[in-house]
Amino acid sequence: MGSFKSSGFILILHLLKGVLSNSLIQLNNNGYEGIVMAIDPNVPEDETLIQHIKDMVTQASPYLFEATGKRFYYKHVAILIPENWKTKPDYVRPKLETYKNADILVAAPDPAGNDEPYTEQIGKCGQRGERIHFTPDFIAGKKLPEYGPQGRVFVHEWAHLRWGVFDEYNNNEKFYLSNGKREAVRCSAAITGENFVNKCQGGSCIRKLCRPDPQTGLYEEGCVFIPNKQQKEKASIMFAQSIDSVVEFCTEQNHNKEAPNLQNQKCNFRSTWEVISDSEDFKKTTPMTTQPPTPTFSLLQIGQRIVCLVLDKSGSMSSDNRLNRLNQAGKLFLLQTIEQGSWVGMVTFDSAAQVRSELRQIKSGTDREALTKSLPTVPSGGTSICSGLRVAFSVIKKKYPTDGSEIVLLTDGEDNTIKVCFDEVRQSGAIIHTVALGPSAALELEELSKMTGGLQTYASDQVQNNGLIDAFGALSSENGAPSQHAIQLESKGSTLQNKEWMNGTVVVDSTVGNDTLFLVTWTTQRPQILLWDPSGKKQNGFTVDTNTKMAYLHIPGTAQVGIWKYSLQASSQTLTLTVTSRASSATLPPITVASKMNQDTGKFPSPMIVYVTIRQGAAPILRARVTALIESVSGKTVTLELFDNGAGADATKDDGVYSRYFTAYDTNGRYSVKVWALGGTDTARQKAASQRNGAMYIPGWIENGEIKWNPPRSEINTNNLQDKQLCFSRTCSGGSFVASNVPKGTIPDLFPPCQITDLKAEVQGNNLINLTWTAPGDDYDDGRAHKYIIRISTSILDFSDKFNEPVEVNTTGLIPKEANSQEVFVFKPENITFVNGTDLFIAIQAVDEVNLKSEISNVARVSLFIPPEKPSLEVTPPYPSVSINSTIPGVHILKILWKWVGELQVSLGSG
């Protein structure tokens, strides 16, 4: 990078609009509409579930309205009903609503027994979440004691989803020390309750008041906070919406800034209401003066997939072998990607449009082969995209309404009349996926995808990158069972000279193997193709298409699990290999890889973020090796290794979401994204994400002086990893984005180091403090920072807006490591009073070589607790062994007794 930098760009992270979402939600006159709530296809048919969903939203709307100062309510919700449920007259076909863009998913608990409501959040504070998850039992009201009324929980999750706020409790750290006093993590601090241990085994439980740990000063392991059923405090919904009195979000006035929770860690101690008030929703609304109407609902049932290919055959398609490459990619889509039972039509266009095939249902291989024969082979004429779209609408309308249908639009040409048909596209209710081929495809093409919720992709003329085949391979159905979706195991290419070999391996893991296809393409003449299965048996029988320059082999039945080896030999030409498969079983979820960017447009110098999610069902896949190849329209490619380390661009460690900043802009225009994910000896599947953002489970309630315990929470054991040798290979298209404002010539270096988000601190012997964090880079999370500034204070407020005032730590000798390395720094506080009971707060700022500074890190906290020198008197009150459903009477008497014991311990220890 050059030396031109400006400290003003320290704030460019705030220019990020939020994680790119396919959501259809719109805010219309204070009311949210376009909300899509989908019932998973694996949920058994139950009509009452639909009514429960309606009841939950109807209950939630006035609660949301009052909690937001009469600003927001739920206006309309679409309920997406599975195709395998019985058809009813009031069920209509969806338009743009799909499982992919559903905002709320109702699905069976995964793992079984865990009905915890939660929201996927892969972005930072203030960035919208991905999706809310509920289970049928939760929706039906079977978890009321643990989580409270469903409508209140929905509002809690909605705040995660819509406004990017975080939880104000902490399951991993339930208590903290404040000036030597033990406090439960809660917001507001005015919520009252008691602290108890509840240990259950074999149908009986030991329940007792919590004892202090003499080494840490905190409570013993297993201690939980039990709230009083009767409260006066109104905040906060992001702590425990299940408390009857709680009807508000925490504000700046009552927010507990000391509590070690995600809201404080990720939002720089801002209250939830401050974050909500900073949202675009809030800024464009004013409080209503009348009560909102009751929510309305539409019932939408998924139907058969209807797809029409709209393919450019203009004269420019003769360049760079584009038309033949279109045939190769089109054949993969028709022979493999498109699901059985789908209806497919085909339209081509140049200066005008032609129907190549009316809608045809895919029932057999014969139907697939017949459709491949309709692909265009002769390029000629100009480019009229609207003509192609209009004829496609007419093809679909001959058999079905265009609502919910899909159009795959491919073009390589410019068309200055494309906007003429935008209104027709909007009114059609069709989803349009766009494939921009080559450097000159119409600049307005992506607008069609944006307005209809379709996938946007870009494929360059660099054949070895296999971009066109990847783009068509990404067009699996957004609805239906995952077992029917095509999964790409490999996509690779190479230009070979003088009988060179392209050798490699493909892993077929136990979750895939059905309908497996090996596809080889070439640019001049047929190469030598060798393929061996895991047992070493050579595979023969490739079908060769010399006209299209491709060969493919379908593996009968379920492909053998293990490592498949291939060798391809050629001279003076480019070869590609693509391997696709489907799930091995309808009951075993396949390992899936999905990729997205945080935005569909990148304005220099704002960075882009690549996100890759790896799952098996709902279980995250950890410690995979994930890389992204980002190719600009100029042909330059950048390879990024992605991380799931909770640092840099990655919001949460070990949640199966791998992330990385992209700053290597080189030109304006389109950039394509391709992802590889490999599992090896260290890769593992976790039962569930270690940290979910969702409604707090209440272990019990104190009512009239007695504790009424709830059933034990289904614990998520973060150390319980399954299949610790989870070998697999996946590749997928991550779509495309468009860059603008990139300077010509030398690109100025305007990128600061990224914010440190995982700073941790511990007190060691002799009052030493041990700090650990993940190193940022020179440019966000790339390269190496120049230095660190570490500051400490006894007041947490010093880090809100005046980082230069707290005491600076001497960091002489602390040389930053390469980005994403683990940093460790030990120091002894100086120029500050650090005695027993002191709370110390620590933050870091990274600085690059020309003095561009990162945002202030999360603030780490340590409390100095010096254990008593003399042994404490052991006083053991009788603790009753009780059954799971019993209560503990006389809480206040036990509290007084234990308070006396604690005071006696302290007096003996200090005497």
Side-chain angles (χ1 to χ4, degrees), residues 746-762:
T746 303
I747 306 297
D749 186 352
L750 304 177
F751 304 113
C754 65
Q755 181 189 29
I756 295 167
T757 59
D758 62 346
L759 177 65
K760 294 181 177 63
E762 290 183 346

Side-chain angles (χ1 to χ4, degrees), residues 346-583:
M346 191 182 304
V347 171
T348 58
F349 67 91
D350 41 50
S351 303
Q354 311 84 33
V355 178
R356 302 283 296 189
S357 174
E358 301 289 353
L359 286 182
R360 177 171 184 155
Q361 189 173 26
I362 296 180
K363 298 179 180 178
S364 66
T366 302
D367 297 308
R368 295 179 183 273
E369 291 286 351
L371 283 162
T372 65
K373 291 179 170 57
S374 299
L375 290 164
T377 56
V378 180
S380 64
T383 304
S384 177
I385 292 171
C386 285
S387 296
L389 292 173
R390 288 178 180 130
V391 171
F393 292 151
S394 67
V395 166
I396 295 168
K397 286 177 181 177
K398 288 179 183 178
K399 205 160 194 70
Y400 291 101
T402 51
D403 288 349
S405 63
E406 299 172 67
I407 288 176
V408 179
L409 171 62
L410 176 142
T411 185
D412 74 334
E414 299 177 3
D415 181 358
N416 56 16
T417 67
I418 187 173
K419 291 188 176 180
V420 172
C421 57
F422 276 12
D423 284 341
E424 295 169 67
V425 169
R426 290 189 187 95
Q427 295 166 11
S428 72
I431 299 167
I432 300 184
H433 310 290
T434 57
V435 183
L437 178 57
S440 302
L443 298 178
E444 304 86 352
L445 197 60
E446 282 80 5
E447 291 298 318
L448 293 166
S449 297
K450 291 177 189 175
M451 71 175 70
T452 64
L455 177 67
Q456 65 179 53
T457 55
Y458 160 65
S460 73
D461 290 322
Q462 302 294 316
V463 179
Q464 72 276 8
N465 290 341
N466 212 22
L468 193 52
I469 282 178
D470 292 339
F472 275 79
L475 295 170
S476 285
S477 172
E478 296 181 355
N479 297 311
S483 61
Q484 297 301 311
H485 295 172
I487 297 172
Q488 196 164 276
L489 307 185
E490 182 60 283
S491 170
K492 190 172 288 187
S494 183
T495 299
L496 304 180
Q497 305 292 340
N498 302 322
K499 294 188 176 181
E500 285 183 305
W501 289 92
M502 174 177 156
N503 302 315
T505 60
V506 179
V507 178
V508 176
D509 60 274
S510 60
T511 71
V512 294
N514 281 345
D515 198 18
T516 302
L517 179 81
F518 286 79
L519 171 70
V520 178
T521 72
W522 56 89
T523 52
T524 55
Q525 53 187 310
R526 178 183 174 182
Q528 183 176 359
I529 303 172
L530 302 175
L531 177 67
W532 297 271
D533 69 17
S535 68
K537 181 180 179 182
K538 184 180 177 184
Q539 301 294 300
N540 298 308
F542 274 84
T543 299
V544 179
D545 182 343
T546 54
N547 291 328
T548 312
K549 298 183 176 62
M550 59 185 285
Y552 56 90
L553 174 66
H554 267 115
I555 305 300
T558 303
Q560 188 177 340
V561 172
I563 298 175
W564 293 65
K565 297 180 181 179
Y566 62 86
S567 291
L568 311 177
Q569 186 186 46
S571 299
S572 303
Q573 63 171 322
T574 301
L575 309 182
T576 72
L577 172 77
T578 307
V579 184
T580 65
S581 189
R582 299 189 199 275

Side-chain angles (χ1 to χ4, degrees), residues 759-837:
L759 177 65
K760 294 181 177 63
E762 290 183 346
V763 179
Q764 296 182 340
N766 298 320
N767 291 2
L768 293 174
I769 296 177
N770 182 75
L771 300 181
T772 59
W773 69 94
T774 302
D778 174 78
D779 297 333
Y780 288 92
D781 54 11
D782 182 61
R784 186 195 300 262
H786 177 62
K787 66 177 182 178
Y788 295 117
I789 300 172
I790 302 178
R791 294 186 183 273
I792 58 176
S793 175
T794 54
S795 172
I796 199 169
L797 299 179
D798 284 352
F799 294 104
S800 296
D801 53 12
K802 45 186 177 182
F803 184 70
N804 290 332
E805 293 187 12
V807 174
E808 184 172 354
V809 175
N810 183 351
T811 57
T812 302
L814 175 57
I815 300 173
K817 296 180 180 178
E818 194 73 17
N820 293 295
S821 302
Q822 287 302 300
E823 298 275 26
V824 179
F825 180 64
V826 180
F827 72 98
K828 189 168 187 175
E830 298 177 352
N831 304 318
I832 199 166
T833 303
F834 193 43
V835 296
N836 196 13

Side-chain angles (χ1 to χ4, degrees), residues 174-176 182-187 189 195 219 225 239 256 259:
K174 294 182 170 65
F175 299 92
Y176 65 100
R182 290 173 289 275
E183 293 284 356
V185 175
R186 63 199 189 280
C187 194
N195 308 312
Y219 287 119
F225 175 74
F239 171 66
N256 182 5

